[in-house]
Amino acid sequence: MQRRAFLRSACLNSLAVAGAVGCLPVSAWASDTENMALSVEQLPPLEGDLTLYLGRGEGGLYENVLEAIRKRNPKFNLQVRRGVTAALANTIVAESKAGVRRADVFWAVDSGAIGLVADAGLARPLPAALTGQLKPGFQYPQWAPVTGRIRTLPYNTERVTPDRIPDSVMALADSDLSIGWAPAYASFQSFVTAMRLLEGEQATADWLKGVSERAKSYAGELGVVMGVERGEVDIGFANHYYTLRLKSGKPEAKVDLAFTNNDAGCLVNASGILALSEGDLPINFIRYLLTREVQSYLAREAYEIPLVNGVQPPQGLPALSAISPPKLDLTQLADLRPTLNLMRRVGVL
Amino acid sequence: MQSQQQIRISRGKGLVFGLLAMLAAVQASANGEIGDHVNDLKGHLGQYSEEVDWLVGKYDGVVDSYEAKGRKAVETQQLIDFWEEVDFHSAIETNYVPVYANIWQGIYGIKQAIEAGKPVAEVRAEQEKLNSAFWQALGAVKLASQFQERGLLAKIQTTESEPTTMPETLEDIKLRLDRVVAKYAEQLPEAATTIVHDTYLHRFEGVEGALIEQDAALVEDLEKDFNVTLPQAINGNASVDDVRKVVESMQVKIDRAKELLVAAEKKRKDVF
């Protein structure tokens, strides 16, 4: 097992980070002064009718963003259909097959759902000036990531010392650490999908079997983090913001974050948006979501990671240049069915 | 421990809040489609009153037969069929689920007492409880009709709509928990468990991140309620009253969560 280097952060006592920089260039996380995020003041007003399909977002905060956009644009008539992200993606594809298009824009909480719609050939190309505001590694021609979230290893600071945590997620299957996970949870399934794509079917099956021998299941990933904090398990799998939010409400919480190195264990997944209809209005609406103001709001209030240049990440995360997520086209995470079949086959679902 | 008086007061308040919560997201009932009559309660109050009288008479007839001729003379499935036959069923189901649950509890109280060959006095006691639930339900529907007439009640839909704010989400969670009790009283524990699971995953999960910043202990508590206490009560064959107690205790915590999140929202900076 490799010894790891650790960074101190303002919020967390010790954040374990990967030793080496992985596939994404360091500049992926650095500010790009040429294509900084715009201010809302630089955008044209929105006028006309637009229908947004909105996958369930972060507890009303996305709604606050939409309300603020409405308030700022009195001639803008925004209709919103809300639902489970995957269900809305399937609806968009089904409507298209029936020759109907009800949505002009689709804002999804995970990139897999975006991939499903994009693969059906329904996404309109985005202008280079828009995608150019996004960090390298997150620039896609047909959709824009809105905010990111990192897979992390929350660990109990009283039960585990950082040097016991491997910097490879695959090595966790052979460790002696007790593990908390939420196999039925969408974010976890995206993570396993990433592992399947990066490591292959057999290696993923072996990993799931190995970890399941020492794993305790939770309904959701906040549950995982709280289980870790209570000392029910040594370590868990969860998106970064659960730990940050727990630490915000309970500063003395006995939990910190570790990151693996260049594998599915530190995947950066993203919420994303795409335009389904032609014209300037859908594109300009997307621009509003990528403004400095909206990106800062989501970072500050929801602890989500801004993916545009020039906006600070949420407090409590280490410098992102020290994290090495795997290189993966996020829309490939739409390929969920083989993952679910695999998880059922090895008995973790 | 709350006194009966406190519980009555709290339930009375709950009735008003429950009606004002404007249940706009009623899905098609497991017992059949919800008719348009639920959007014109006032126009159907006469029909509902007649149906309640009819139900009281029908159940009385069943218990009379049991008293006169014994267990074999009674087809207990009729007790459920009577209830599923009337429009009043969906009128109360879509407007005040706690009383709807009491009705199912009363129906099964009679059914199980007869099937177990209990003394008639015990069956009559269950019948009394059911009659009280019917009259309470009729009162609730009359009150709902007044709200509806004043435009204070949203049009009842048969497709699901989504709450858009955290307080709305928490109100929706409370209504869903009422449905858990109703389904359990209806002797559908799997349906009740599914509602618990879906409510956790599709509703509570969306607010607990914000809530944990305000009160981590409250989130711990509700996590346990959703994932351990309530499922265990349902799967462990607890009485309907015991399941209701778990739900009521959760609803008190949800109210507290709502207060905290409303206060936090007021302090939140604007987007622009």
Side-chain angles (χ1 to χ4, degrees), chain B residues 103-162:
Chain B
I103 289 170
W104 277 112
Q105 193 176 357
I107 291 168
Y108 274 98
I110 298 173
K111 187 173 185 284
Q112 287 165 346
I114 289 174
E115 286 167 356
K118 298 274 185 186
V120 173
E122 285 188 37
V123 180
R124 291 282 181 207
E126 295 297 335
Q127 189 192 346
E128 281 302 310
K129 287 183 205 166
L130 177 61
N131 288 348
S132 297
F134 280 143
W135 297 121
Q136 195 186 355
L138 188 59
V141 169
K142 283 178 179 172
L143 184 57
S145 76
Q146 291 170 25
F147 286 132
Q148 194 175 64
E149 202 182 18
R150 285 153 52 194
L152 296 172
L153 218 56
K155 190 170 163 54
I156 290 161
Q157 298 162 1
T158 51
T159 55
E160 189 174 10
S161 66
E162 296 282 319

Side-chain angles (χ1 to χ4, degrees), chain A:
Chain A
M1 192 184 296
Q2 288 186 327
R3 304 270 305 172
R4 13 172 69 245
F6 292 91
L7 294 182
R8 297 243 162 216
S9 85
C11 174
L12 300 172
N13 294 331
S14 58
L15 290 163
V17 296
V21 174
C23 284
L24 279 180
V26 173
S27 62
W29 298 108
S31 289
D32 177 344
T33 50
E34 286 176 22
N35 289 305
M36 301 296 274
L38 298 174
S39 163
V40 71
E41 304 294 342
Q42 296 169 268
L43 295 185
L46 301 174
E47 293 182 9
D49 299 337
L50 189 89
T51 298
L52 166 71
Y53 278 19
L54 173 66
R56 262 191 216 111
E58 189 44 56
L61 294 174
Y62 289 4
E63 299 286 347
N64 291 356
V65 169
L66 296 178
E67 199 45 47
I69 293 173
R70 276 196 188 102
K71 218 189 237 178
R72 199 176 168 85
N73 297 280
K75 293 181 181 172
F76 179 48
N77 175 30
L78 177 66
Q79 297 294 324
V80 183
R81 178 175 176 181
R82 299 166 182 87
V84 178
T85 290
L88 288 177
N90 287 322
T91 300
I92 289 166
V93 173
E95 284 174 350
S96 165
K97 281 180 181 164
V100 177
R101 196 194 59 238
R102 293 197 174 92
D104 300 304
V105 184
F106 178 38
W107 184 2
V109 293
D110 67 75
S111 42
I114 290 281
L116 187 80
V117 176
D119 287 350
L122 301 175
R124 305 289 176 199
L126 298 175
L130 185 153
T131 57
Q133 295 174 69
L134 291 150
K135 293 178 188 294
F138 293 95
Q139 296 178 359
Y140 295 89
Q142 290 187 308
W143 69 285
V146 179
T147 52
R149 51 190 182 268
I150 306 177
R151 295 299 296 172
T152 62
L153 304 176
Y155 67 95
N156 182 289
T157 50
E158 287 192 347
R159 290 169 59 113
V160 182
T161 50
D163 58 300
R164 285 184 58 205
I165 303 169
D167 61 2
S168 153
V169 76
M170 303 311 284
L172 271 168
D174 304 316
S175 76
D176 58 352
L177 297 166
S178 59
I179 295 168
W181 66 4
Y185 204 61
S187 294
F188 182 85
Q189 291 169 1
S190 288
F191 148 69
V192 176
T193 303
M195 184 183 290
R196 196 172 52 74
L197 294 168
L198 293 163
E199 313 288 345
E201 192 98 359
Q202 191 54 53
T204 305
D206 293 344
W207 183 88
L208 286 166
K209 278 185 213 157
V211 171
S212 68
E213 287 169 15
R214 288 188 320 285
K216 178 176 165 63
S217 288
Y218 293 86
E221 291 196 338
L222 183 56
V224 168
V225 171
M226 291 194 296
V228 168
E229 200 275 334
R230 286 193 298 267
E232 289 170 9
V233 287
D234 297 326
I235 195 165
F237 299 110
N239 286 337
H240 74 279
Y241 44 73
Y242 293 113
T243 301
L244 299 190
R245 288 191 122 161
L246 175 60
K247 297 281 283 187
S248 167
K250 190 178 178 183
E252 74 285 4
K254 298 184 285 290
V255 61
D256 272 343
L257 287 177
F259 298 84
T260 60
N261 180 15
N262 190 25
D263 60 26
C266 62
L267 172 77
V268 176
N269 201 343
S271 65
I273 189 158
L274 51 75
L276 295 154
S277 57
E278 302 283 1
D280 291 341
L281 187 58
I283 301 295
N284 286 335
F285 176 76
I286 293 172
R287 290 184 204 278
Y288 269 76
L289 298 187
L290 300 183
T291 55
R292 251 195 333 262
E293 291 86 351
V294 169
Q295 293 278 308
S296 301
Y297 179 84
L298 292 174
R300 188 177 65 242
E301 304 294 343
Y303 293 85
E304 293 181 2
I305 299 165
L307 295 175
V308 293
N309 295 314
V311 178
Q312 289 301 305
Q315 280 197 320
L317 279 178
L320 292 176
S321 55
I323 294 174
S324 50
K327 194 172 185 180
L328 186 72
D329 177 343
L330 295 177
T331 56
Q332 289 184 287
L333 298 175
D335 194 20
L336 193 61
R337 190 168 299 281
T339 302
L340 299 178
N341 291 342
L342 175 65
M343 290 173 79
R344 287 190 187 108
R345 202 166 62 240
V346 301
V348 300
L349 264 188

Side-chain angles (χ1 to χ4, degrees), chain B residues 192-208:
Chain B
T193 303
T194 300
I195 297 171
V196 176
H197 177 74
D198 286 353
T199 302
Y200 173 79
L201 215 55
H202 299 310
R203 291 292 185 267
F204 186 63
E205 256 277 319
V207 298
E208 66 176 352

Side-chain angles (χ1 to χ4, degrees), chain B:
Chain B
M1 182 71 78
Q2 283 183 296
S3 68
Q4 286 299 316
Q5 171 83 358
Q6 283 173 309
I7 289 169
R8 271 197 297 274
I9 290 167
S10 131
R11 286 198 183 150
K13 283 180 183 168
L15 171 58
V16 176
F17 287 131
L19 294 170
L20 282 173
M22 297 186 290
L23 182 52
V26 180
Q27 293 169 354
S29 147
N31 309 294
E33 289 302 311
I34 293 166
D36 283 342
H37 63 92
V38 297
N39 286 312
D40 179 20
L41 295 173
K42 191 165 187 288
H44 291 82
L45 285 178
Q47 176 197 339
Y48 299 149
S49 294
E50 279 177 11
E51 286 178 344
V52 169
D53 286 332
W54 179 82
L55 287 165
V56 168
K58 283 291 183 187
Y59 287 107
D60 200 38
V62 170
V63 181
D64 285 349
S65 295
Y66 178 65
E67 185 171 22
K69 300 174 191 168
R71 161 77 187 87
K72 286 184 180 168
V74 177
E75 177 48 64
T76 54
Q77 178 58 36
Q78 282 187 313
L79 296 164
I80 290 162
D81 295 343
F82 294 148
W83 175 231
E84 299 207 333
E85 219 173 295
V86 295
D87 281 348
F88 180 62
H89 181 140
S90 48
I92 188 61
E93 183 185 10
T94 54
N95 281 293
Y96 196 49
V97 176
V99 183
Y100 174 73
N102 291 346
I103 289 170
W104 277 112
Q105 193 176 357
I107 291 168
Y108 274 98
I110 298 173
K111 187 173 185 284
Q112 287 165 346
I114 289 174
E115 286 167 356
K118 298 274 185 186
V120 173
E122 285 188 37
V123 180
R124 291 282 181 207
E126 295 297 335
Q127 189 192 346
E128 281 302 310
K129 287 183 205 166
L130 177 61
N131 288 348
S132 297
F134 280 143
W135 297 121
Q136 195 186 355
L138 188 59
V141 169
K142 283 178 179 172
L143 184 57
S145 76
Q146 291 170 25
F147 286 132
Q148 194 175 64
E149 202 182 18
R150 285 153 52 194
L152 296 172
L153 218 56
K155 190 170 163 54
I156 290 161
Q157 298 162 1
T158 51
T159 55
E160 189 174 10
S161 66
E162 296 282 319
T164 60
T165 65
M166 290 193 229
E168 277 178 22
T169 301
L170 290 163
E171 281 302 328
D172 187 62
I173 289 171
K174 285 171 66 182
L175 291 168
R176 284 164 172 253
L177 289 171
D178 283 336
R179 295 194 70 78
V180 169
V181 181
K183 287 296 158 199
Y184 191 68
E186 209 177 326
Q187 309 276 297
L188 296 169
E190 280 187 26
T193 303
T194 300
I195 297 171
V196 176
H197 177 74
D198 286 353
T199 302
Y200 173 79
L201 215 55
H202 299 310
R203 291 292 185 267
F204 186 63
E205 256 277 319
V207 298
E208 66 176 352
L211 185 58
I212 203 164
E213 291 180 71
Q214 307 304 318
D215 188 340
L218 183 60
V219 175
E220 287 263 5
D221 244 11
L222 282 163
E223 274 273 332
K224 189 177 170 194
D225 287 338
F226 271 112
N227 295 305
V228 182
T229 315
L230 188 52
Q232 270 181 4
I234 291 167
N235 299 326
N237 286 324
S239 68
V240 176
D241 286 337
D242 284 346
V243 170
R244 184 183 286 110
K245 273 180 201 157
V246 174
V247 160
E248 284 173 348
S249 130
M250 286 174 76
Q251 288 171 326
V252 170
K253 293 170 197 169
I254 299 279
D255 282 336
R256 172 69 186 139
K258 188 175 164 185
E259 283 170 23
L260 290 168
L261 290 180
V262 167
E265 192 62 32
K266 281 180 184 161
K267 290 181 197 163
R268 209 185 289 283
K269 288 181 184 167
D270 289 339
V271 179
F272 298 127

